[in-house]
Amino acid sequence: MKRLLLSIYGFAFFNKFLLLTPVYAIFMQQNGVGDALLSAMFIISSAATILGQMPIAYITNRCGARNAMAFGQILKAVAVIMWLYISNTMGFVVGMALWGIQTGFRNVAFEGMIYDEVAAAGRAKEYTRILGRKATFESIGVALSATGSLLMFLGYDWVTWVSVVAIVISVLCLMLIPNRKSESDISHTGFKAMFRDGVRTCIKTPCMMPIMMLALLVVNVPYLDDFLSPIALQLGIKTEMVGIVPFFLLICATFGQRFAYKFKNISDTLLYTMIGVAGGLYVLFAHVYNVQTLWMLGVAYTLIWCVYTITYARFQHMIPTRHRSVVLSLFTTLTYLVYMLVCAIIGIGATIGSWRYSIWFLGMLVIAVCVWAMIRVRKKCPCVSG
């Protein structure tokens, strides 16, 4: 178990430790990508994740979670190298598509593997805590990646290659994890049947669909991470210092994820109220919109990621082991459909004249999610925490 956890945490860290994270959006804009097109880039990445879900789930079942994730990491390395040497719209589009496919592998293979391995070790009750710790290592990796903006004086190529090295190390961490095939003898026809069964299971299992929808809405509607660098520039922060904003918000997100397990048994009313408070803080920040009020986003991030960790853990507990990769594939598909809509909304706000309008729109949507959870989910799935 100790070796498994070290491998999981190691992969979680190095998968996110990419020095180009705070600067690649700026790099794209410096090479002719406008605000609206930048939003379109993230939509393209999400579309690739969605379109790849069935083959991703099939490959994961046939080749095992470890090998599937390793292949995804290779695609991500190719994507970031492509941005460096093909710095035009087509290069960015293809790179974002490859990164989107890698995200699909991670969401389906990695998340499913963690739960199955932990459950196999008889530690299923600790899953929420392990999920929080894994998220902590991911956040630490992204937070340290914020230093990439400080190292831009060395050149974007240097930042890219250090990121590639981190990806290679993440693959080495994967090699320490046993490679399990959940359905090694499945045929392609059998896989289609299993996919249908998985979707049917997700719909018919009591409360699974509402909790799944709540988890994906909570984590995606307020998602600003991919746009934090342009937002920081608009707030008046210098290019070499834009990494401060994602660094600060990731500390807040880490805090929310790390200690979420302490609140896993709170009432649903209080849990859903936290969502509404986060949405209100988004709206207030958009109204004031200056560096001094970034603390509002920080508190909102803490609440959002705490709620997401709890709801996602509840969702995982509901999934039958046989259908885990398929149900998580469905979850990923729906997640990125929502994310594409969020990117479109953010793009509309930027087109109007400022990222602040995008943040205001998202804040109002988060409040709407809170109202929906209070009215529909709380009444349909009472005491789900038990």
Side-chain angles (χ1 to χ4, degrees):
M1 188 65 184
K2 183 179 294 185
R3 174 181 172 180
L4 173 66
L5 292 179
L6 288 175
S7 301
I8 289 173
Y9 297 152
F11 174 81
F13 174 80
F14 285 105
N15 180 53
K16 294 293 186 177
F17 181 58
L18 302 176
L19 293 179
L20 56 80
T21 299
V23 296
Y24 75 90
I26 296 175
F27 178 75
M28 289 181 180
Q29 293 198 305
Q30 290 175 342
N31 285 273
V33 176
D35 291 344
L37 184 55
L38 181 62
S39 296
M41 289 292 178
F42 294 118
I43 291 175
I44 290 169
S45 178
S46 299
T49 303
I50 293 171
L51 294 175
Q53 282 312 293
M54 183 169 285
I56 285 171
Y58 178 72
I59 291 172
T60 300
N61 279 284
R62 291 286 294 181
C63 301
R66 186 191 70 184
N67 291 344
M69 287 189 294
F71 178 66
Q73 294 302 98
I74 293 173
L75 294 181
K76 182 161 72 171
V78 171
V80 299
I81 293 173
M82 178 176 294
W83 291 341
L84 179 61
Y85 293 105
I86 309 178
S87 303
N88 54 40
T89 301
M90 183 56 65
F92 295 143
V93 167
V94 175
M96 290 299 286
L98 293 176
W99 197 320
I101 296 173
Q102 181 273 334
T103 300
F105 275 110
R106 179 202 170 281
N107 290 346
V108 173
F110 191 47
E111 300 299 338
M113 181 199 67
I114 293 175
Y115 188 88
D116 287 340
E117 293 291 341
V118 170
R123 306 269 290 272
K125 291 184 178 180
E126 298 180 35
Y127 174 72
T128 303
R129 178 180 294 191
I130 292 171
L131 185 64
R133 288 177 176 173
K134 185 266 295 181
T136 297
F137 279 95
E138 289 179 330
S139 296
I140 293 173
V142 178
L144 292 178
S145 298
T147 60
S149 61
L150 299 175
L151 300 175
M152 278 296 286
F153 70 92
L154 295 173
Y156 185 80
D157 54 344
W158 189 88
V159 173
T160 296
W161 283 109
V162 172
S163 299
V164 171
V165 171
I167 295 173
V168 172
I169 297 176
S170 73
V171 175
L172 295 179
C173 291
L174 287 176
M175 294 300 104
L176 299 176
I177 302 175
N179 188 48
R180 301 179 187 271
K181 301 178 183 179
S182 57
E183 296 289 341
S184 58
D185 60 343
I186 197 167
S187 65
H188 187 69
T189 302
F191 177 79
K192 289 182 178 180
M194 191 185 78
F195 194 93
R196 289 193 299 269
D197 290 342
V199 173
R200 191 179 300 113
T201 298
C202 187
I203 294 174
K204 291 185 177 182
T205 300
C207 293
M208 183 186 292
M209 183 61 74
I211 296 302
M212 180 180 74
M213 292 300 298
L214 179 61
L216 68 88
L217 288 174
V218 167
V219 75
N220 283 286
V221 171
Y223 191 81
L224 287 172
D225 293 36
D226 294 328
F227 300 90
L228 289 177
S229 295
I231 290 172
L233 288 178
Q234 197 172 74
L235 290 173
I237 299 175
K238 296 181 179 179
T239 301
E240 60 271 17
M241 300 299 292
V242 295
I244 292 176
V245 176
F247 181 81
F248 166 66
L249 293 179
L250 282 162
I251 289 177
C252 296
T254 299
F255 184 80
Q257 292 168 309
R258 178 64 181 83
F259 296 102
Y261 73 95
K262 293 182 177 294
F263 304 94
K264 65 180 181 179
N265 292 320
I266 65 174
S267 69
D268 291 344
T269 298
L270 181 56
L271 186 68
Y272 303 155
T273 298
M274 293 164 63
I275 301 173
V277 173
L281 289 170
Y282 263 57
V283 173
L284 288 175
F285 173 74
H287 178 71
V288 181
Y289 202 60
N290 56 40
V291 176
Q292 289 74 25
T293 53
L294 276 171
W295 65 268
M296 294 182 181
L297 281 185
V299 175
Y301 261 57
T302 302
L303 295 174
I304 287 166
W305 285 99
C306 178
V307 173
Y308 170 69
T309 302
I310 294 171
T311 54
Y312 186 77
R314 293 177 179 180
F315 168 57
Q316 282 276 20
H317 283 304
M318 297 176 180
I319 306 174
T321 300
R322 171 178 169 78
H323 297 296
R324 191 168 305 279
S325 65
V326 175
V327 173
L328 289 179
S329 180
L330 175 63
F331 177 81
T332 300
T333 300
L334 295 175
T335 293
Y336 281 95
L337 284 173
V338 174
Y339 177 66
M340 289 170 67
L341 177 61
V342 169
C343 286
I345 293 172
I346 292 175
I348 292 172
T351 302
I352 292 175
S354 174
W355 297 108
R356 71 186 302 171
Y357 300 120
S358 304
I359 298 172
W360 188 89
F361 291 149
L362 297 187
M364 295 302 295
L365 286 175
V366 173
I367 293 174
V369 171
C370 169
V371 174
W372 169 73
M374 287 288 193
I375 296 175
R376 300 290 296 177
V377 182
R378 184 168 62 93
K379 292 182 177 180
K380 188 173 183 178
C381 303
C383 301
V384 73
S385 57

